[in-house]
Amino acid sequence: MSTEIELGDPLGEGFDAPNIAAGDDKSDNNDLAQRVGGEVANQVAGQVWQAGKSSARRVFDVYGNVDFLRPYFDVEPWQVRRRLLASLIPQRPSSDPQPLDTELYGPLMLVFTLVAILVYGMKSSEHRVQEGTLMGTAIGISFLYYFGTASLFFFLGYLVNAKISLVQMLSLTGYGLFAPCVTLFLAIAVPSQTESMFYSIWLVLCGLSALRMASAVVSRTYTRQQALILSGVIIVVHMLFVLYLHFSYAHLYQAISSPLAPGRVVPQPIAAVQEHAVAGTFKPVVNKVLKSKVAAFMKKRVTTAAVFHT
């Protein structure tokens, strides 16, 4: 009996040994999986970092090199002058594509010129901006129109299979700003001109510029119907943009300055204000206006109270 018990005890004690060994194997497997996962994650992160670093270096090498932009700004002054005049001379559409420039120096200078004209117009008309500054507003409007319309025309040209590149469209749209710059500058700098004079200048200069742009795009479009649609969009957008700038930044200046122009009949309230402005006494005019406003307000309140009382 004692021998059986002694023989049974070792068997009983050794019965839990496989479970203990299995637990040790699981812990070792978990540690090994964690180590392998950490090494894989480090390798993937290192590869992603190296790929991003090499891509950023290639982008910097391409766009940070001045030689990459040199062909687009390498231009002589006489060439810019000739292209400015050519932007007002539309050419007859033909089966042969019209030659287009790939230069961006003149267009960017025209955009900055438009910025200066808009700032001058807003300061002259005492235009107030709710958010931002006058300079920021002028820069935003000018560059938004330049890049926005060039991208829009290029996209429409791509849809109708027009043979024109984005750089060519940027150059064509930029030189098309020469007529709006001249028109708006005359409208702001010469406030004595009538509306009919402005519309005459607008139709002549901006119309010629729009026809020049449209004819260049039509010559590079193979389908006649699609070419007419694309040219119509270009003409409408170009002409309406000048009207928008005129009525937003130049028309108010004309309205304020028109009574001061020689040969015009000045209304009585404006004449009184001018008289007191010359004398340097605005106080009587202000007091009179305030008294009339207060009297009208009190009369209205008394009438309203009487109605509610009855």
Side-chain angles (χ1 to χ4, degrees):
M1 292 295 293
S2 60
T3 305
E4 291 179 358
I5 293 175
E6 289 177 358
L7 292 174
D9 288 341
L11 293 175
E13 293 177 356
F15 184 76
D16 294 331
N19 295 331
I20 296 174
D24 294 339
D25 292 340
K26 288 182 179 180
S27 61
D28 293 339
N29 292 333
N30 292 333
D31 295 339
L32 180 61
Q34 291 179 358
R35 289 196 301 270
V36 172
E39 292 178 358
V40 171
N42 292 332
Q43 291 179 359
V44 171
Q47 293 177 358
V48 171
W49 169 257
Q50 292 296 331
K53 184 177 179 181
S54 59
S55 300
R57 183 175 296 175
R58 286 196 302 269
V59 171
F60 179 77
D61 292 339
V62 172
Y63 294 99
N65 191 1
V66 180
D67 294 334
F68 174 75
L69 301 175
R70 191 184 302 276
Y72 303 109
F73 294 91
D74 188 10
V75 62
E76 298 294 333
W78 65 269
Q79 293 177 330
V80 175
R81 183 171 60 252
R82 181 179 59 83
R83 290 166 184 172
L84 289 176
L85 296 177
S87 65
L88 300 177
I89 304 175
Q91 299 181 10
R92 181 176 299 179
S94 60
S95 58
D96 298 330
Q98 296 181 12
L100 295 178
D101 301 315
T102 58
E103 172 252 319
L104 300 178
Y105 174 79
L108 287 180
M109 292 301 103
L110 285 171
V111 173
F112 285 115
T113 303
L114 181 61
V115 170
I117 293 174
L118 292 181
V119 172
Y120 172 59
M122 287 188 285
K123 287 186 177 180
S124 301
S125 62
E126 297 183 357
H127 183 78
R128 295 291 182 268
V129 180
Q130 299 295 332
E131 296 181 0
T133 60
L134 298 181
M135 180 65 72
T137 302
I139 292 176
I141 292 174
S142 302
F143 278 93
L144 179 62
Y145 171 77
Y146 174 52
F147 290 109
T149 53
S151 301
L152 174 63
F153 297 157
F154 174 74
F155 177 71
L156 295 178
Y158 175 78
L159 294 180
V160 300
N161 296 324
K163 191 177 180 182
I164 185 170
S165 63
L166 180 59
V167 178
Q168 291 175 337
M169 185 61 74
L170 286 172
S171 180
L172 182 65
T173 307
Y175 277 107
L177 292 175
F178 176 63
C181 289
V182 175
T183 304
L184 293 174
F185 178 76
L186 293 177
I188 298 173
V190 188
S192 59
Q193 65 176 338
T194 60
E195 290 295 325
S196 59
M197 186 182 300
F198 165 76
Y199 285 116
S200 300
I201 299 174
W202 171 69
L203 285 174
V204 173
L205 294 182
C206 297
L208 291 175
S209 177
L211 289 176
R212 166 72 176 108
M213 296 171 59
S215 63
V217 176
V218 167
S219 66
R220 292 175 172 267
T221 306
Y222 300 103
T223 307
R224 183 178 180 83
Q225 182 179 2
Q226 295 175 347
L228 292 177
I229 295 175
L230 181 57
S231 61
V233 172
I234 292 175
I235 293 174
V236 170
V237 172
H238 188 72
M239 301 292 285
L240 291 181
F241 174 70
V242 181
L243 287 181
Y244 163 73
L245 294 181
H246 169 68
F247 287 107
S248 298
Y249 304 105
H251 192 69
L252 180 60
Y253 180 63
Q254 292 180 357
I256 293 175
S257 303
S258 57
L260 303 179
R264 293 181 181 269
V265 179
V266 182
Q268 186 63 28
I270 298 178
V273 172
Q274 291 178 4
E275 181 181 357
H276 287 284
V278 174
T281 56
F282 274 106
K283 188 174 181 180
V285 179
V286 174
N287 290 336
K288 185 178 180 180
V289 173
L290 290 177
K291 287 180 181 180
S292 62
K293 294 292 183 181
V294 172
F297 178 73
M298 294 301 297
K299 183 178 180 181
K300 184 177 179 180
R301 290 198 60 181
V302 170
T303 305
T304 306
V307 170
F308 278 107
H309 183 69
T310 56

